[in-house]
Amino acid sequence: MRTSDQLMQEFVLPNYGRYNVWPVRGEGAYVWDRDGKKYLDFAGGVAVCPLGHCPPPVVKALTEQANTLIHVSNWYCIDKQGELARILVEECVGIAGKCFFCNSGAEANEGLLKLARKYGQQTGGRYEIITFTGSFHGRTFGAMSATAQEKIHGGFGPLPPGFVYAPFNDVQALEAAITDKTVAILLEPIQGESGVNAVTPEFLRAAQRLCREKDILLLLDEVQCGFGRAGEMAGWRSIIPGDEIQPDGISWAKAIGSGFPLGSFWVNDRRDLSRVLGPGTHGTTYGGSPLACAVGIATLRTILDEKLCDNAKTRGAAIATSARGWNHSLIKEVRQLGLFIGFELNAEAISAKSGGKLPSIFLAQKLLDAGMMVTPAGPNVVRWLSPLNITAQHAAEGLSIFKAALDQLL
């Protein structure tokens, strides 16, 4: 009989550079591997587990709905879609609009891209969409093309045309990139994959001003930063609080499903934008199933009712203060919004001991050895993406393991 190692090697595509860790069980902020080793999980499946592993409200909703109705086609009306959409519109966004449900962040962004192209065709044949260096919008062809990173594009050309890449947080460059063909600006309020880099308030305000002046859609990718990760249900409000920013479209995934495949995008009711994608223009087989929506409702209700945004802000600020207080020679900067925390490493010092591995990947392995999961973000940053409901004890445990691993590299 072949082992799991042999089955993976023989039958699973080798498209991931996996760590040799085999998680088999999770509870709260911890997971255990097949050998019984316990890990403090501050990776959270890359920001997918806002309530930790197997949270009781989600397990209850999943079980009850699985015993009632798992799936029906979007040919029919699904009551839980209506309730989940209401929560998103009224309690998360707070701006009148409508939602579409899908299965992932890439699909959610594909929906925004189609919205923009359709709107552009209706308003003079515009089709160019501006995105930014360091961004990440997904792995499908449209989302990959929107991602302004050469390493993501490599080997897959020719890419779909119509994407214009501009430097992030550079207002002059953004102004120069706009043409009479521009129909949308798509940005992440906080770029996760390139190292927890937040948009500046000046840039976000300038983007909205240009959109309003030139009838361009302002689209926000909140796949990673939404639903409390940055301390607010709407991630952009961690940059500019209140209602000053009024996006035209928002994409979500990751945290909304607590690990169950669920994505969504929202479209502003302004100027009838939410009617642009009418019957027959867009769709999905599985998106917004009764089971997925039950999980989404349970997840968002728990984040809202237990005020986990407040906990994220308090715990995140305390973690960042403690880590900055170390003045550790292997940390160049701590970037923190809520529990979206990036540690930029002293790449030169760590590279001297990493044996050719990227510093972020090398340190993540050292932390796994020590019993802690984190997520690399680019070559020189590791992210903490802990559950939003962590306690002071979880934070202290993470800080202790993290500092010990860094100290061993001195």
Side-chain angles (χ1 to χ4, degrees):
M1 183 174 179
R2 286 172 286 196
T3 65
S4 297
D5 306 57
Q6 291 168 329
L7 293 172
M8 284 285 287
Q9 192 165 23
E10 188 170 353
F11 296 111
V12 178
L13 279 176
N15 57 308
Y16 298 108
R18 300 177 193 265
Y19 292 106
N20 189 27
V21 174
W22 298 71
V24 294
R25 183 170 72 86
E27 181 179 339
Y30 298 97
V31 296
W32 288 260
D33 70 15
R34 64 185 182 184
D35 299 318
K37 182 177 177 178
K38 183 180 179 181
Y39 300 84
L40 178 66
D41 186 1
F42 277 14
V46 193
V48 164
C49 303
L51 308 177
H53 293 281
C54 304
V58 175
V59 172
K60 180 173 184 291
L62 189 67
T63 304
E64 289 180 354
Q65 189 60 47
N67 281 306
T68 305
L69 181 64
I70 292 176
H71 176 82
V72 291
S73 167
N74 279 300
W75 282 105
Y76 311 108
C77 299
I78 300 171
D79 57 359
K80 286 189 165 50
Q81 279 193 19
E83 174 57 14
L84 181 54
R86 186 203 65 76
I87 294 170
L88 289 167
V89 173
E90 293 187 348
E91 301 188 60
C92 299
V93 180
I95 304 169
K98 294 179 177 56
C99 298
F100 174 89
F101 294 103
C102 50
N103 307 285
S104 69
E107 285 181 69
N109 282 323
E110 289 284 345
L112 290 186
L113 299 177
K114 286 183 69 175
L115 171 77
R117 288 289 180 89
K118 193 80 161 43
Y119 182 70
Q121 291 302 308
Q122 294 175 354
T123 54
R126 299 176 295 161
Y127 59 90
E128 289 182 349
I129 298 170
I130 298 175
T131 63
F132 300 95
T133 52
S135 60
F136 182 82
H137 299 293
R139 297 280 185 174
T140 56
F141 251 95
M144 180 177 71
S145 301
T147 297
Q149 293 193 55
E150 284 286 335
K151 71 175 184 180
I152 302 296
H153 300 164
F156 294 105
L159 299 178
F163 294 94
V164 176
Y165 308 129
F168 193 46
N169 281 333
D170 185 331
V171 174
Q172 283 190 319
L174 173 59
E175 291 173 337
I178 293 173
T179 73
D180 60 359
K181 296 298 183 186
T182 303
V183 69
I185 293 171
L186 171 63
L187 63 87
E188 298 159 278
I190 305 165
Q191 294 183 340
E193 298 302 311
S194 60
V196 190
N197 297 308
V199 68
T200 64
E202 296 77 17
F203 188 79
L204 187 53
R205 288 189 174 104
Q208 176 165 269
R209 172 179 56 79
L210 291 164
C211 285
R212 293 295 176 264
E213 289 175 358
K214 300 176 184 297
D215 189 24
I216 294 170
L217 302 185
L218 178 61
L219 308 177
L220 301 182
D221 178 341
E222 296 236 327
V223 168
Q224 191 161 157
C225 72
F227 306 129
R229 173 56 53 195
E232 301 286 346
M233 291 306 285
W236 81 85
R237 291 194 172 107
S238 67
I239 310 295
I240 299 178
D243 296 329
E244 179 180 345
I245 299 300
Q246 299 275 313
D248 295 305
I250 307 166
S251 57
W252 298 293
K254 291 190 180 291
I256 191 175
S258 286
F260 193 92
L262 175 60
S264 180
F265 66 88
W266 166 93
V267 183
N268 199 318
D269 275 344
R270 187 174 68 91
R271 292 179 303 174
D272 282 337
L273 283 173
S274 56
R275 296 183 183 276
V276 169
L277 292 177
T281 60
H282 195 52
T284 172
T285 297
Y286 299 108
S289 71
L291 189 59
C293 290
V295 170
I297 291 168
T299 299
L300 296 184
R301 280 263 59 91
T302 304
I303 293 173
L304 288 161
D305 296 345
E306 296 187 4
K307 301 186 186 311
L308 295 184
C309 290
D310 293 342
N311 193 60
K313 282 188 276 197
T314 301
R315 299 286 174 231
I319 289 168
T321 298
S322 294
R324 289 172 182 139
W326 298 338
N327 292 316
H328 204 287
S329 63
L330 296 184
I331 297 177
K332 290 180 67 176
E333 185 180 11
V334 180
R335 297 192 279 271
Q336 174 263 330
L337 298 99
L339 281 168
F340 204 167
I341 306 173
F343 296 86
E344 182 170 350
L345 306 173
N346 182 334
E348 184 175 346
I350 294 180
S351 293
K353 300 189 177 185
S354 69
K357 292 183 178 178
L358 294 174
S360 60
I361 293 175
F362 177 70
L363 180 60
Q365 178 64 66
K366 291 294 183 186
L367 289 164
L368 283 173
D369 295 342
M372 181 180 183
M373 293 175 166
V374 299
T375 306
N380 303 326
V381 175
V382 293
R383 277 170 292 178
W384 284 20
L385 300 164
S386 74
L388 304 182
N389 54 2
I390 59 167
T391 63
Q393 289 71 29
H394 292 131
E397 183 181 356
L399 287 163
S400 176
I401 297 172
F402 195 66
K403 186 172 185 298
L406 289 170
D407 288 347
Q408 288 178 1
L409 296 176
L410 292 174

